[in-house]
Structure formats: C-alpha cells, structure tokens
RNA sequence: GUGAGUAUAGCUCAGUUGGUUAGAGCACCAGGUUGUGGCCCUGGGGGUCAAGGGUUCAAAUCCCUUUACUCACCCCA
C-alpha cells in the first residue's frame, strides 16, 4: 500500500471544519488590522533561504528539502515564509508604492525533521509581516494580533514571552563577554552545551540540564548589554503591550534561531501541546531586506504553527465541531423519477439551498436514515400517490411535521427551507 | 542523527502460563409488513494478528531481523 510520506498528514473531511474556523479567524483579525494577504510559491531558489535564515542554522544545515530541477537550479521547499515575503517585497518594489506594507499569509512549510507531537515535515503556518517601519507599535501590534487569534480560538493556557536581541554589533560584544564568563566553567558543562559554545552560544540558555542551568544562573544577560536604542525600543514594546492589555513576561533566555532577527523577539507558548510548546515565534528583522539586495527596510513579523494550535485547541477542549448540516434531502419514492429529481435538486440548489439525495438505489428507510445522518433539516418525498396530482410532502426533520405542497408552489417551499 | 516504546477489523481496544473456526464496542450494510429518520431489536460483511525468518506437536502470544508509527533529545512553528 502506498502511504503518505513520513511526517505528512492528510486533512480529512471530518476535521476540515476546524481548519476553516481557524483560517477564517486569521483572515478576519488580520483584516481588522488592515493586513493584506500575500501568497508566494512553495519553492524558491535555495540561495534565498541560506542567505536569510543563515548557513549555520539547523534549518539550512540539515532540514531543508532541496533538489535540482531540470535546469540544474537548486530549489528548496520553503521552510519558513519571511524570506519569500521579503523577496517578493523587493522584487515587486512594494516599498516604493507605499511606505508601509502590512502583510499576512497562510501556507504550508517543509522541514525534514524527525516527526513528533506538534512537529511535521509538511506543516502549516499563518503569520504576519510589517515592512517599512521601525516603530515598536508594529512589534506590539503583531504580538497583539497573534495573541488575539489564539484567544479567539478559545485558548487560555498561553504565555507571551518577549526579549530583545539588540543589534548585531552589541550582540557580538555580549557573546564575547559570555565566552569569558564561561571560560573557566567549560568542563563542567554538558556535552551538548559544550558543542553550542562554538555553534550557537546564545542557545546555552535553552539547556534543559540542571547542572547547566546552575552554571548559567549568574551569567551575564544579553538584555543588559544591548545598545541603548534597542533598550529604549524594548521598553516601548513593553509599554505598548501594556496599553493593549497583552499579558507578557520578559525572558532573557529567549533566543530565536534564525540569523536575521534584531531587537524584539517573542514567542507564545502553550502548556498543553507536549514538548514542542511554541505556538508562535517571531521578531524584528531590520537588516534582512538589505541583506537580500533590497533597499534598507525595517521589518517585523511572526509565524504561528497551525497544527500546534489545533492540538492545543483539542487538548483545551475548545473549537468543538459544530454539526455539519444540509438543508434538504430528497427521498425518492419511485425508482423512475430521476429526471424529475435532477430538476428539483437543481432548482433548490440555485436558490442557495444545499441538497443531497440517494445515488445507490436504496430503500426509503435507508434514504431516511441517510437524511438523518446528514443532519438534513428537511426531507422532500418525491413520488407516490400525491405526486400523481402534482404535489410532494415536505418534512421538517426536527419537529417531524410534514406538509403537502403543490410542485408549482416551489417558491413557498424555498421560503420555508430558507428560514 | 540519537534514545525509548508500540504494531490484532475502517476506528478504539480485549485476547489468561503458547492450545480448536481470533473477539467486543463504535462505524458500515440489510431487515424489524405496502411510502418515513433518530431510540431499540435481529442478522450480515469485513483480519495474511505489520512483514520475513526461527523455536515448538502447536505461535496473535516466545526469539531474531526488517519496516512503519508514536514519544522524547537536538532544533523549531
């Protein structure tokens, strides 16, 4: 049997209503803030990602789906959206048409990791990006939007964490200070952490090992060493978040993995989804556009994992399936009324009434069971005695009441069913 | 890439220290007097017990290999 590729999932009809609900919430809230949807291709030139996300990151180093097409161009399935959005922004000179572009997206992403709870190889994200302003209003606004969406989906067990990474020069400076602090404690660190000393020293703070945490307890913190402007901006983000009534906590250990982040970084975590607890991650990337060959353009954005959010919703018991309903089920009492059935169904459907009927030549009882299973609001019986005199019975499935209608009073039936 | 666990019907799971034709609930299908659902009742279909090998008179059950899935590490949404 051919099965779906490891780490990919079919979204079946039985669960699609939750996706619709989430997507509609996302679209509604973003449009309330005047963000416009952008769609970019699922694949891009590999160079785009290695340049923006960073050669040293795990995403670029070992998680990308990369292949050559027939013209020997190296292609990569997008592992995240920001790079593609900024590429499109530059390519179409969006910044020259208006100074600020507020964009959002909903899209599949691809990363070749070992699947586990809340982690897939093809997964889906929605997110927002604001390009063209260094105002912290936007940092706060995007955090607010993400928070609003999660709250609107009924999530309660979520925490907003924020931090600032400063600008690259102050960050490099801090890294040296941290290295000095750790110099004589190196051999006490775990093996994993020692590796990170060279690869990504900031990540040390993520260590789940107690002895590492002990060593880091008195370590200098990045937030104390970032440049003055970044500090001031960070204070502003906090102030705006307060004004917007978003509860948050500052987390000096919050380091985001992608190279392009500057200043604000943030995460929204859930206590209900297992080990992969980050529902939302984002931050500011003031240098990215320039790095990708565009005019210098400040930007800020976030990405949210849809599967993780749906998992959180499930575990918090929110987003309960509302019953799928159909307006009308037509039961055929005689076998040979197919053409009349088709006419009738078409006329109702053109009045925006959803109609289904039996395709399997089943008994009236079986048709009724089907109507009930489909949650049909009304059943119309086509055929039999009353049909000879040009009328049909219309049954209200909730009350069980049944009423005879002349077929020429079609609009009467429409009126009743449409209520 | 590393580690642990799991694999029996479409789904959720029973299956005793190895012992006849492998079970239940749900789902599905058909009936329960002419042309009417839900509840209930009766019946039915559906399994290479993940695959391959081994031990044994006898394997879903014990052993080995492989595969898949799950969770965790790493990292991230």
């Amino acid at each position: 049997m051919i099965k779906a590729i490891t780490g990919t999932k079919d979204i079946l009809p039985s669960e699609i209503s939750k996706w619709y609900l989430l997507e509609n919430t996302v679209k509604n809230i973003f449009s309330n803030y005047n963000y416009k949807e952008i769609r970019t291709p699922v694949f891009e030139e590999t160079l785009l990602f290695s340049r923006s996300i960073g050669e040293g990151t795990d995403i670029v180093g070992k998680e990308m789906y990369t292949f050559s097409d027939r013209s020997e161009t190296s292609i990569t399935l997008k592992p995240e959206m920001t790079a593609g959005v900024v590429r499109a922004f530059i390519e179409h000179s969006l910044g020259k048409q208006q100074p600020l572009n507020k964009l959002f997206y909903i899209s599949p992403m691809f990363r070749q990791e070992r699947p586990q709870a809340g982690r897939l190889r093809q997964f889906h994200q929605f997110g927002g990006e604001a390009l063209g302003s260094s105002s912290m209003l936007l940092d706060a606004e995007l955090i607010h939007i993400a928070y609003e969406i999660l709250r609107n989906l009924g999530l309660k067990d979520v925490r907003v964490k924020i931090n600032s990474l400063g600008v690259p020069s102050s960050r490099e400076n801090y890294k040296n200070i941290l290295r000095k602090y750790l110099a004589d404690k190196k051999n006490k660190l775990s093996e994993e952490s020692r590796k990170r000393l060279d690869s990504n020293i900031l990540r040390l703070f993520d260590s789940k090992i107690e002895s590492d945490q002990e060593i880091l307890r008195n370590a200098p913190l990045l937030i104390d060493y970032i440049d003055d402007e970044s500090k001031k901006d960070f204070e502003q983000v906090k102030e705006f978040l307060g004004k917007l009534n978003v509860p948050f906590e500052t987390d000096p250990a919050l380091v985001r993995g992608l190279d392009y982040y500057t200043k604000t970084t943030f995460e929204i975590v859930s206590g209900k989804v297992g080990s992969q607890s980050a529902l939302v991650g984002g931050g500011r990337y003031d240098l990215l556009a320039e790095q990708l060959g565009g005019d210098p353009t400040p930007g800020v954005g976030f990405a949210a994992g849809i599967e993780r959010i749906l998992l959180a919703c499930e575990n918090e018991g929110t987003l309960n399936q509302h019953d799928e309903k159909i307006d009308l089920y037509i039961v055929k009492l005689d076998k040979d009324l197919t053409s009349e059935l088709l006419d009738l169904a078409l006329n109702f459907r053109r009045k925006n009434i959803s109609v289904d009927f039996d395709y399997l030549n089943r008994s009236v009882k079986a048709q009724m069971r089907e109507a009930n299973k489909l949650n049909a609001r009304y059943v119309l019986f086509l055929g039999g005695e009353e049909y000879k005199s040009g009328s049909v019975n219309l049954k209200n499935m909730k009350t069980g009441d049944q009423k005879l209608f002349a077929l020429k009073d079609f609009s009467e039936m429409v009126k009743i069913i449409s209520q």
Side-chain angles (χ1 to χ4, degrees):
Chain A
M1 183 173 55
I2 297 175
K3 299 200 293 183
I5 300 290
T6 298
T8 68
K9 279 246 186 319
D10 299 310
I11 300 160
L12 299 172
S14 57
E15 51 201 341
I16 201 70
S17 70
K18 294 188 174 191
W19 284 76
Y20 285 166
L21 200 66
L22 182 144
E23 288 165 11
N24 289 336
T25 303
V26 168
K27 286 176 188 172
N28 277 332
I29 292 184
F30 268 117
S31 79
N32 288 346
Y33 289 76
N34 194 32
Y35 283 64
K36 305 291 185 197
E37 184 172 0
I38 182 167
R39 303 187 188 188
T40 67
V42 286
F43 51 59
E44 298 269 2
E45 212 176 305
T46 303
L47 205 55
L48 173 66
F49 301 117
S50 50
R51 256 196 214 155
S52 58
I53 300 169
E55 293 280 3
T57 62
D58 277 15
I59 292 179
V60 173
K62 53 186 193 193
E63 294 171 2
M64 294 203 303
Y65 278 100
T66 297
F67 56 93
S68 291
D69 70 2
R70 286 178 204 273
S71 66
E72 304 288 305
T73 309
S74 181
I75 304 277
T76 293
L77 268 33
K78 61 185 173 191
E80 59 103 49
M81 190 73 176
T82 304
V85 169
V86 173
R87 194 224 79 232
F89 171 86
I90 296 167
E91 185 168 338
H92 302 286
S93 302
L94 298 185
K96 284 165 186 154
Q97 297 172 41
Q98 52 185 339
L100 176 62
N101 280 267
K102 298 204 291 184
L103 307 166
F104 80 94
Y105 59 83
I106 302 173
S107 173
M109 306 292 164
F110 307 85
R111 290 182 204 172
Q112 193 165 173
E113 299 180 88
R114 245 336 218 275
Q116 70 183 73
R119 172 184 293 159
L120 292 166
R121 290 186 173 177
Q122 175 176 340
F123 58 104
H124 299 77
Q125 292 184 330
F126 66 83
E129 314 279 355
L131 287 148
S133 167
S134 40
S135 165
M136 293 297 124
L137 276 173
L138 287 161
D139 303 52
E141 177 169 285
L142 283 158
I143 294 169
H144 187 221
I145 290 172
Y147 185 73
E148 283 285 298
I149 291 172
L150 298 183
R151 296 289 299 183
N152 260 267
L153 293 172
L155 293 180
K156 296 213 158 60
D157 188 1
V158 292
R159 286 155 53 212
V160 178
K161 303 206 252 179
I162 61 169
N163 191 26
S164 175
L165 296 182
V167 297
S169 59
S170 65
R171 195 154 65 218
E172 286 311 312
N173 181 37
Y174 164 75
K175 281 186 191 172
N176 286 327
I177 290 164
L178 184 59
R179 269 190 210 102
K180 258 179 221 153
Y181 169 80
L182 290 168
D184 58 336
K185 304 174 182 63
K186 210 170 172 178
N187 44 18
K188 287 186 194 152
L189 288 170
S190 66
E191 198 187 321
E192 281 297 338
S193 288
R194 251 175 291 161
K195 258 187 248 166
R196 282 192 273 210
L197 222 46
D198 299 318
S199 62
N200 195 345
I201 190 165
L202 297 178
R203 285 234 88 87
L204 247 73
F205 288 99
D206 278 351
S207 178
K208 287 166 187 166
I209 299 162
E210 185 57 35
S211 58
D212 287 349
Q213 284 299 334
E214 185 60 36
I215 292 168
L216 290 166
R217 202 148 296 160
N218 296 315
L221 293 172
L222 172 57
I223 194 74
D224 297 323
Y225 290 86
I226 60 175
D227 55 285
D228 288 344
E229 187 187 287
S230 294
K231 270 184 197 162
K232 216 179 287 170
D233 283 346
F234 191 47
E235 292 308 313
Q236 271 214 304
V237 174
K238 291 195 268 191
E239 190 192 321
F240 291 144
L241 283 177
K243 285 224 167 78
L244 291 166
N245 273 321
V246 178
F248 64 90
E249 46 198 274
T250 59
D251 179 0
L254 176 63
V255 175
R256 314 242 70 250
L258 284 53
D259 275 5
Y260 52 62
Y261 284 120
T262 54
K263 294 188 178 174
T264 315
T265 58
F266 59 93
E267 224 170 61
I268 302 181
V269 296
S270 162
K272 293 282 196 295
V273 295
S275 174
Q276 306 306 316
S277 60
L279 263 30
V280 176
R284 182 161 276 281
Y285 45 86
D286 286 345
L287 305 171
L288 179 58
E290 194 175 356
Q291 235 175 73
L292 289 176
D295 294 337
T297 310
V300 56
F302 75 82
I306 295 182
E307 283 86 351
R308 283 183 191 179
I309 291 170
L310 291 178
L311 189 60
C313 288
E314 196 169 312
N315 294 342
E316 288 204 35
T318 166
L319 224 68
N320 292 316
Q321 300 264 16
H322 51 294
D323 293 341
E324 298 283 333
K325 274 197 167 70
I326 184 168
D327 295 321
L328 180 66
Y329 192 90
I330 302 179
V331 169
K332 238 188 346 169
L333 299 176
D334 305 324
K335 301 284 181 206
D336 54 357
L337 290 171
T338 303
S339 115
E340 291 81 352
L341 170 72
L342 290 176
D343 277 349
L344 209 48
L346 177 65
N347 289 335
F348 278 115
R349 286 167 175 159
R350 283 190 169 154
K351 294 293 180 189
N352 204 26
I353 286 169
S354 55
V355 180
D356 204 359
F357 50 79
D358 170 61
Y359 297 82
L360 305 172
N361 251 312
R362 301 205 285 185
S363 67
V364 172
K365 185 193 198 105
Q367 293 181 66
M368 283 304 288
R369 283 186 169 153
E370 180 71 6
N372 189 60
K373 203 172 61 188
L374 294 175
N375 252 317
R377 295 171 49 239
Y378 287 88
V379 163
L380 186 149
F381 295 94
L382 176 64
E385 278 307 310
E386 68 271 29
Y387 187 71
K388 287 177 190 156
S389 56
S391 40
V392 292
N393 267 310
L394 186 66
K395 177 170 185 164
N396 180 321
M397 289 295 275
K398 196 170 173 189
T399 63
D401 296 342
Q402 192 163 308
K403 205 177 158 192
L404 203 60
F405 283 88
L407 272 172
K408 59 176 173 28
D409 291 336
F410 173 75
S411 53
E412 282 298 306
M413 290 190 275
V414 170
K415 204 182 283 176
I416 286 177
I417 296 168
S418 298
Q419 277 170 3

